[in-house]
Amino acid sequence: MIRLRTMFKGQKVVVVCSVVLAALFLIMAIAPWLAPHDPVKVNLLHKLEGPSKEYWLGTDHLGRDNLSRLLYGARISLGFATLIFLSSLGIGVVIGSVAGYVGGWVDSVLMRFCEGIMAFPNLVLVLGIVGIFGPGLMQVLLALMMVQWVYYARMCRNMVVSLKERNFIAAARISG
């Protein structure tokens, strides 16, 4: 705990954002126990009600509780965002490491491909990919993964190239 304090000393924004993100993931995990009503149960007698003691955020046009729907929706949204982040990170780290380590024409080809993807706005590229593959949640997820990995690849490639030129790597090569 003391090490965490020293690591984040003077970085209040990082601490606050980490606490908020942890709270969101906790809410996502315990949504079935927090939700006061079934999020998909239709109750036309209570449609379009305002906030009350029974329905804290009111109801929608089918009488479903907005708070319950919000809690369950957070599970899906944060789950897919985590999936996109982790898969993009994995792809980017592998491609960036290969490009930085091998170098030469492999590095040039991979980085020119990354620059080609980065030349277009992300939303336009995602919409184009979804237009090619057709509508659907999986197509959107794949399109977002295909667009986001380039940033991690470039960052990882630059780290590998800078590490490759350090003196301790040269000493290790010389010593065998």
Side-chain angles (χ1 to χ4, degrees):
M1 187 68 175
I2 295 172
R3 177 140 171 99
L4 283 176
R5 269 193 206 147
T6 58
M7 188 177 354
F8 294 119
K9 185 178 180 183
Q11 298 182 1
K12 293 179 182 176
V13 174
V14 173
V15 172
V16 169
C17 290
S18 297
V19 168
V20 168
L21 197 58
L24 285 174
F25 274 98
L26 178 67
I27 289 170
M28 177 185 78
I30 61 173
W33 296 283
L34 285 179
H37 300 281
D38 186 6
V40 294
K41 182 181 177 192
V42 175
N43 188 353
L44 294 176
L45 296 175
H46 296 285
K47 69 179 185 176
L48 298 174
E49 284 188 7
S52 65
K53 287 183 181 180
E54 187 177 358
Y55 301 106
W56 289 9
L57 295 179
T59 60
D60 65 0
H61 66 285
L62 295 175
R64 299 174 294 193
D65 181 36
N66 285 332
L67 177 62
S68 299
R69 294 175 60 77
L70 185 67
L71 291 172
Y72 274 89
R75 297 179 83 181
I76 295 169
S77 298
L78 287 174
F80 283 137
T82 304
L83 174 70
I84 291 168
F85 166 71
L86 291 176
S87 59
S88 298
L89 180 67
I91 294 168
V93 165
V94 168
I95 291 176
S97 298
V98 167
Y101 185 74
V102 173
W105 67 271
V106 174
D107 181 29
S108 292
V109 168
L110 288 174
M111 288 303 108
R112 294 310 79 77
F113 181 69
C114 288
E115 289 170 0
I117 291 176
M118 291 172 71
F120 296 100
N122 284 349
L123 185 59
V124 172
L125 204 53
V126 167
L127 289 174
I129 293 170
V130 169
I132 291 170
F133 292 125
L137 186 59
M138 276 312 215
Q139 287 80 353
V140 172
L141 290 174
L142 288 173
L144 285 168
M145 286 179 218
M146 291 169 62
V147 170
Q148 295 297 322
W149 68 267
V150 294
Y151 302 103
Y152 302 114
R154 290 193 50 95
M155 197 178 335
C156 187
R157 180 244 179 220
N158 291 335
M159 287 181 183
V160 169
V161 167
S162 70
L163 279 174
K164 199 166 76 169
E165 303 300 323
R166 302 277 300 264
N167 288 338
F168 66 89
I169 298 294
R173 283 191 183 137
I174 289 171
S175 66

